[in-house]
Amino acid sequence: MDIVNPKTKRGWRSDVGEASLSDVYRTVEAPRNGSRWRRIAAFVGPGYMVAVGYMDPGNWSTSLAGGSKFGYALLTVALLSNLMAIVLQSLCARLAIASGRDLAQACRDAFPKYVSIPLWAFAEIAIIATDIAEVIGTAIGLNLLFGIPLELGVLITALDVFLILYLQKIGFRWVEAFVIALLGIITVCFSVQIFLADPEWGAVIRGFFPTTEIVSNPEMLYLALGILGATVMPHNLYLHSGIVQTRAYGHSVPEKREALTFATIDSTVALCFALLINASILILAAAAFHANGKTDVVELGEASSLLAPLLGLAIAPTLFGIALLCCGLNSTVTATLAGQIIMEGFLKIRLQPWMRRLITRAIAIVPAAFVTIWYGDAGTAELLILTQVVLSLQLSFAVFPLVMFTANKAKMGELVAPRWLSAVAYAIAVVIAGLNIKLLFDFVIG
């Protein structure tokens, strides 16, 4: 029989241990005898949770800064980042389905401790940077809509732990439904704002074509790397490889192949949707701010206050605040889950679900709250952009192991990535590393 034992070592240093997010592991039925559309529908969800990371509040800040300063020129970075993300997220699904491991577990089972522990530390730094952006974004959204002080808004975001616990208790599909519903609200808000901004569509199309100025201009490169860091996020690679395993697909190679196909369709469609939202943020900034001579808009609060006079309708900043709050709520949910996957996968920490989530949330939110309260309103924009550049610098430490694992037949068996896909993935990894080296070089010399 063509069955793969899920506990076998194969090319790994140790057997597969208990799955991360074990309380929801394989809890979503994937029917094997229904219609093809019904089987595809069973895999819809994880891709949209991953897509949240491609439109989080940190992304807003970098896109607003890029759009207001350089117009539509950085749309090409958003497009290229999204194409990179589609490839890398498909590899995450491949790793999870083929090996039964998320990326954190794979690093733990493939490398000695002197390698895996630093990788865990880098992943935690990425989670903290992610959470700082999301906590700030949520707090600003609460401030814009309800006048809640920034410091109090930061503390309110900690309550999402209880929301996740409740939703997962009634079923992981409810977590996905919550995320997708908020994505729908974000889409409506941006659709209205783009309609009001009336961008120059010819310039928008030209913005998707690359220009050498992105590399030659250090300021543009800094923002481009911020967009890259906000788009292809390290925690998304860990998250996707974990939540794909909430599906109860079979253990045979044909069943795994079908699961991989459906999971890849889910993530690809969701990331195309994320590109529309991501590009909309930059287009709105270019059309509303750059076109009106406002080339230094970087703060989310400032952007909101300028929208009403520039677009001519008082509802514009309200829509902006609603979309920002929805993004922040969504992002804190997915970042908390990613933090749990990283801690459990690397360190094999086994606690009660509420305790695990409380610890992983505290690791991220305590420094986020401290920095936010310390900086206040004044420094949030610079801090948001900095967090995205930090994420970009951390990205290689997740991307290279992912590409290495999925290209290794001893580890992946029949589902090893095709050579052409591995070649593309390695090229993406090298480009990301090269851009980061260029950023550090520019920073050091001046």
Side-chain angles (χ1 to χ4, degrees):
M1 259 182 94
D2 197 12
I3 300 290
V4 177
N5 181 357
K7 294 292 183 184
T8 185
K9 279 189 181 180
R10 289 201 299 215
W12 304 93
R13 294 166 62 95
S14 59
D15 292 334
V16 178
E18 183 183 354
S20 301
L21 303 179
S22 57
D23 48 328
V24 293
Y25 177 71
R26 289 184 175 263
T27 56
V28 178
E29 283 299 322
R32 295 162 195 168
N33 299 319
S35 67
R36 183 175 178 83
W37 286 110
R38 189 181 171 195
R39 298 201 307 277
I40 291 176
F43 284 85
V44 173
Y48 291 90
M49 295 186 68
V50 169
V52 165
Y54 296 81
M55 58 185 85
D56 78 327
N59 207 352
W60 283 48
S61 189
T62 52
S63 293
L64 283 172
S68 66
K69 190 163 190 67
F70 299 111
Y72 304 104
L74 292 178
L75 280 171
T76 185
V77 178
L79 175 61
L80 290 175
S81 298
N82 209 73
L83 293 175
M84 291 180 181
I86 287 173
V87 173
L88 295 177
Q89 296 300 161
S90 72
L91 292 183
C92 290
R94 184 179 292 272
L95 173 66
I97 292 168
S99 72
R101 294 168 171 84
D102 58 58
L103 181 57
Q105 291 173 319
C107 290
R108 180 197 70 206
D109 290 346
F111 300 129
K113 283 190 176 181
Y114 63 82
V115 175
S116 64
I117 294 300
L119 288 178
W120 167 73
F122 290 137
E124 289 292 356
I125 291 171
I127 284 290
I128 292 169
T130 300
D131 231 39
I132 288 173
E134 289 154 2
V135 166
I136 291 174
T138 305
I140 292 174
L142 290 169
N143 178 262
L144 293 176
L145 291 175
F146 308 111
I148 296 174
L150 197 64
E151 295 81 4
L152 180 58
V154 167
L155 300 179
I156 290 174
T157 61
L159 299 177
D160 72 337
V161 172
F162 302 103
L163 174 65
I164 297 171
L165 282 171
Y166 174 72
L167 291 174
Q168 287 199 192
K169 185 177 180 180
I170 60 177
F172 197 76
R173 278 297 213 184
W174 284 98
V175 181
E176 296 170 348
F178 174 79
V179 167
I180 292 172
L182 291 184
L183 289 178
I185 295 172
I186 294 165
T187 303
V188 171
C189 290
F190 270 111
S191 297
V192 174
Q193 289 178 91
I194 293 293
F195 175 77
L196 294 174
D198 191 23
E200 184 186 342
W201 290 107
V204 171
I205 293 171
R206 290 192 296 274
F208 283 104
F209 292 89
T211 170
T212 55
E213 187 184 3
I214 293 174
V215 177
S216 61
N217 183 336
E219 189 175 6
M220 189 178 281
L221 177 63
Y222 182 79
L223 284 174
L225 276 175
I227 292 173
L228 175 63
T231 304
V232 188
M233 300 181 77
H235 84 277
N236 265 344
L237 303 180
Y238 294 100
L239 175 68
H240 196 193
S241 60
I243 60 177
V244 160
Q245 297 183 71
T246 59
R247 271 46 186 177
Y249 50 84
H251 295 299
S252 70
V253 172
E255 287 171 324
K256 287 188 173 185
R257 284 192 189 280
E258 182 178 77
L260 176 58
T261 299
F262 295 159
T264 303
I265 291 172
D266 170 53
S267 64
T268 301
V269 172
L271 290 177
C272 288
F273 169 78
L275 174 63
L276 294 178
I277 301 298
N278 193 16
S280 294
I281 301 169
L282 200 147
I283 291 169
L284 179 65
F289 305 136
H290 185 78
N292 289 286
K294 305 284 187 182
T295 59
D296 57 351
V297 177
V298 292
E299 292 187 17
L300 297 176
E302 179 189 9
S304 176
S305 64
L306 288 173
L307 283 175
L310 290 177
L311 300 185
L313 282 178
I315 196 175
T318 302
L319 292 172
F320 185 88
I322 291 171
L324 178 59
L325 180 58
C326 290
C327 277
L329 289 172
N330 258 351
S331 299
T332 52
V333 168
T334 56
T336 302
L337 290 172
Q340 184 179 338
I341 290 168
I342 287 169
M343 178 167 283
E344 292 182 356
F346 275 109
L347 304 183
K348 287 188 177 181
I349 291 180
R350 297 296 168 206
L351 300 169
Q352 290 297 316
W354 67 269
M355 180 63 73
R356 289 199 304 264
R357 289 188 182 87
L358 196 61
I359 291 173
T360 54
R361 191 71 178 127
I363 286 175
I365 203 171
V366 168
F370 174 79
V371 173
T372 305
I373 292 170
W374 179 266
Y375 274 81
D377 293 315
T380 55
E382 291 82 359
L383 185 61
L384 279 171
I385 294 174
L386 178 61
T387 62
Q388 303 314 295
V389 175
V390 169
L391 285 171
S392 187
L393 293 173
Q394 299 296 327
L395 189 54
S396 293
F397 297 106
V399 171
F400 275 104
L402 173 66
V403 178
M404 288 167 54
F405 297 152
T406 53
N408 188 321
K409 187 173 177 60
K411 289 180 170 61
M412 301 292 290
E414 295 296 318
L415 294 183
V416 64
R419 288 185 179 180
W420 67 267
L421 180 57
S422 294
V424 171
Y426 270 116
I428 290 171
V430 169
V431 167
I432 290 171
L435 288 173
N436 285 326
I437 292 170
K438 174 73 164 59
L439 175 69
L440 288 174
F441 180 76
D442 288 341
F443 179 79
V444 169
I445 66 172

